[in-house]
Amino acid sequence: MVFFKTLISFLKDEDYRDLLLTTTFIIIVGSMVYHYLEGWNWVDSVYFSVITLTTVGYGDFSPQTDGGKLFTIFYIVIGIGIILTFVNTIYNHYANIKSQNKKGE
């Protein structure tokens, strides 16, 4: 129940919504580039974008074209900061809501 309350309050805040839209945009752009440069299907492209930006890097996919490799360098430098900010913001928001709920009890 706390998770859904946190999610709803997160979406109501304009700054958080902007961060969510920016993160979604970065993943969509990366997915489109990988789809067209590498010839991967959409699921693989989204999967690689998320795995790359979250720094998990399973290694099951990697760019094979020069364009894909150069884009990945740019994508990592730009995208990791945005994704980590997004994850950190969600965590902090969740922790704040949880501590407010404990104080209210």
Side-chain angles (χ1 to χ4, degrees):
M1 190 67 164
V2 172
F3 174 75
F4 291 113
K5 286 181 182 178
T6 303
L7 183 61
I8 290 169
S9 66
F10 188 81
L11 293 174
K12 287 181 181 178
D13 190 307
E14 187 175 326
D15 292 333
Y16 293 141
R17 264 196 322 258
D18 291 344
L19 185 57
L20 178 64
L21 289 173
T22 303
T23 302
T24 303
F25 177 75
I26 292 295
I27 291 173
I28 288 171
V29 168
S31 300
M32 289 174 61
V33 170
Y34 290 123
H35 176 75
Y36 291 109
L37 278 181
E38 297 297 324
W40 296 338
N41 65 45
W42 288 108
V43 172
D44 290 341
S45 298
V46 171
Y47 168 79
F48 184 76
S49 296
V50 172
I51 294 303
T52 299
L53 294 182
T54 57
T55 69
V56 173
Y58 289 124
D60 49 353
F61 286 96
S62 62
Q64 301 301 311
T65 65
D66 288 342
K69 291 173 185 176
L70 290 172
F71 174 75
T72 300
I73 293 168
F74 170 77
Y75 190 59
I76 289 171
V77 169
I78 299 300
I80 284 181
I82 292 170
I83 295 296
L84 291 178
T85 301
F86 177 72
V87 170
N88 186 50
T89 302
I90 289 176
Y91 172 77
N92 288 335
H93 185 77
Y94 177 77
N96 288 338
I97 295 294
K98 195 170 181 178
S99 68
Q100 288 174 1
N101 286 343
K102 283 186 179 184
K103 289 179 182 177
E105 290 178 355

